[in-house]
Amino acid sequence: MVKKNRIGILGIGAIGSVIASLLHQTAAYKLHYYHRSIKKNIKISVDNKTITIPIRTETSVDSAPDLDWLLICLKEHHYATATHWFEKLIGPKTNVAIIRNGINLKEPLLPFTPEENMVECMIDCPVQPSENGYYRQLKKPMITVPANALAITFQSLFDAHQCQVTISSTFKTESWKKLCESATLGAILCLSGETCWIFKDKKLQLLYRNILRETVQVAIADGANIEENTFIDEMLTKLLRYPNNKGSSMLTDRLNGKPIELGAKNGIIAKLATQYHLKTPLNDLITILLTHTNFGNS
Ligand SMILES: NC(=O)c1ccc[n+]([C@@H]2O[C@H](COP(=O)([O-])OP(=O)(O)OC[C@H]3O[C@@H](n4cnc5c(N)ncnc54)[C@H](OP(=O)(O)O)[C@@H]3O)[C@@H](O)[C@H]2O)c1
């Protein structure tokens, strides 16, 4: 009998559920679901259909399950509470895919496995929790990974018709461009509590430009290949085309009373700026405000 690929998914939230629904369809995989509470089903609604997949979640593990892959679908601020999972689930032969927003995704995992066993994944797949308990997947997932030895093996895990995995030789630049935009837009929307309609105001456009410029300068210092003025002009044009009701994940987290993924956004920008001896007063201010502002979170 052919040995099945043993794949663990850690964090069965929005992205973890989508990834699970994609891999579940392949008989060649034995899937393991790791979550901090019991979940009995993966529930996704996509293309006007609902998908319910019964699963058995594990909320703790005693011994290493000898996984071929561990796909980590946690938010940045969940990592501090997840080290016991990393210790138990990552064996010497386990490849690790880190699927989250931000940059330097391998860093928190380096105490648990060598760099060459990890693949960083930038995912484009808006998924929202809905009132009926289903995660609403708004489009086909697209994952970008850096061109390295593990990339093709990771790509082959997915059916290309259902999830496009792109191998990029400019991953760092792509990740930084995404971060520059999401941290700038996210901070302004999150702090104002408003959607993109506010950018009708020229003062807000100027603020967007100034925050973005700070983030781009850190990106360039960190090795991203971005032409500062061209990129900022492109982002401004893009911003002004957004519908009035467009929000951001940081705003959504604020409105839902959930912790904001600050360490993956303005927090990492402010931290790296210090490392590169750059001044980022706007990102510093945003980081302080969002660290210490309680939007009703318990
Ligand atoms: N959702 C999107 O549209 C989207 C799109 C692109 C990128 N991303 C990125 O993808 C990453 C994951 O986001 P997400 O939206 O999937 O987040 P999420 O819905 O919060 O999912 C994370 C899940 O991990 C669980 N968890 C947290 N700490 C844990 C621990 N110590 N042990 C086990 N399970 C734990 C959480 O449990 P609880 O349910 O108990 O909190 C939650 O269900 C983030 O970096 C996000 O920015 C998300």
Side-chain angles (χ1 to χ4, degrees):
M1 202 170 83
V2 181
K3 186 178 169 272
K4 288 192 175 192
N5 228 339
R6 294 169 68 102
I7 304 178
I9 303 172
L10 174 57
I12 316 297
I15 293 296
S17 295
V18 169
I19 295 292
S21 74
L22 296 170
L23 297 180
H24 173 79
Q25 300 167 30
T26 306
Y29 304 149
K30 167 95 180 83
L31 297 183
H32 298 260
Y33 302 94
Y34 304 108
H35 197 57
R36 60 181 166 190
S37 57
I38 300 276
K39 253 192 182 185
K40 293 197 170 147
N41 296 292
I42 298 288
K43 291 178 162 187
I44 296 284
S45 106
V46 57
D47 299 334
N48 298 320
K49 283 184 299 198
T50 53
I51 303 167
T52 308
I53 305 165
I55 57 167
R56 193 175 74 80
T57 39
E58 293 170 61
T59 54
S60 65
V61 277
D62 296 327
S63 55
D66 199 16
L67 295 174
D68 297 298
W69 277 94
L70 177 66
L71 314 185
I72 304 177
C73 304
L74 302 174
K75 287 185 163 171
E76 183 270 340
H77 50 258
H78 293 144
Y79 276 64
T81 62
T83 50
H84 62 289
W85 287 117
F86 306 150
E87 277 161 9
K88 286 275 163 52
L89 298 178
I90 304 174
K93 292 191 187 143
T94 308
N95 294 321
V96 178
I98 308 137
I99 308 176
R100 74 162 171 90
N101 281 344
I103 51 157
N104 299 343
L105 306 189
K106 291 179 180 176
E107 214 167 270
L109 277 308
L110 285 172
F112 307 96
T113 193
E115 195 174 348
E116 61 271 20
N117 290 358
M118 294 190 262
V119 58
E120 298 174 285
C121 304
M122 181 167 76
I123 186 160
D124 178 8
C125 180
V127 188
Q128 298 166 348
S130 58
E131 279 155 15
N132 59 7
Y134 282 77
Y135 284 110
R136 211 154 66 87
Q137 180 189 327
L138 302 180
K139 62 181 209 189
K140 176 179 158 180
M142 291 198 295
I143 300 178
T144 306
V145 296
N148 63 25
L150 266 187
I152 291 178
T153 323
F154 177 77
Q155 189 182 46
S156 68
L157 292 177
F158 294 89
D159 173 350
H161 296 292
Q162 307 226 26
C163 174
Q164 184 187 322
V165 179
T166 304
I167 299 173
S168 168
S169 56
T170 55
F171 182 80
K172 183 166 209 161
T173 297
E174 299 309 311
S175 303
W176 261 112
K177 283 184 171 174
K178 184 176 180 197
L179 174 59
C180 288
E181 186 192 13
S182 70
T184 304
L185 183 70
I188 294 175
L189 298 187
C190 184
L191 282 168
S192 66
E194 299 292 340
T195 56
C196 277
W197 71 268
I198 53 168
F199 292 109
K200 284 188 174 32
D201 183 337
K202 290 229 167 352
K203 289 192 203 108
L204 268 298
Q205 292 174 27
L206 182 63
L207 181 62
Y208 182 90
R209 193 179 269 281
N210 290 341
I211 299 173
L212 190 61
R213 190 172 296 285
E214 277 189 11
T215 65
V216 172
Q217 285 170 356
V218 180
I220 292 168
D222 193 50
N225 184 12
I226 301 177
E227 208 293 299
E228 186 175 321
N229 290 327
T230 312
F231 178 68
I232 292 171
D233 288 345
E234 281 170 8
M235 287 297 106
L236 241 299
T237 306
K238 191 175 171 192
L239 178 77
L240 297 178
R241 288 195 185 129
Y242 281 143
N244 283 347
N245 63 356
K246 179 181 161 52
S248 74
S249 62
M250 289 169 74
L251 174 64
T252 306
D253 284 338
R254 170 190 168 168
L255 296 177
N256 291 336
K258 294 212 160 183
I260 292 153
E261 221 176 358
L262 194 57
K265 302 275 172 82
N266 311 80
I268 183 85
I269 292 163
K271 188 173 149 200
L272 287 174
T274 310
Q275 192 178 308
Y276 295 121
H277 308 291
L278 290 169
K279 296 233 177 298
T280 51
L282 293 170
N283 280 284
D284 296 352
L285 176 70
I286 291 161
T287 304
I288 292 167
L289 284 174
L290 289 178
T291 304
H292 294 290
T293 305
N294 187 330
F295 291 119
N297 304 339
S298 53

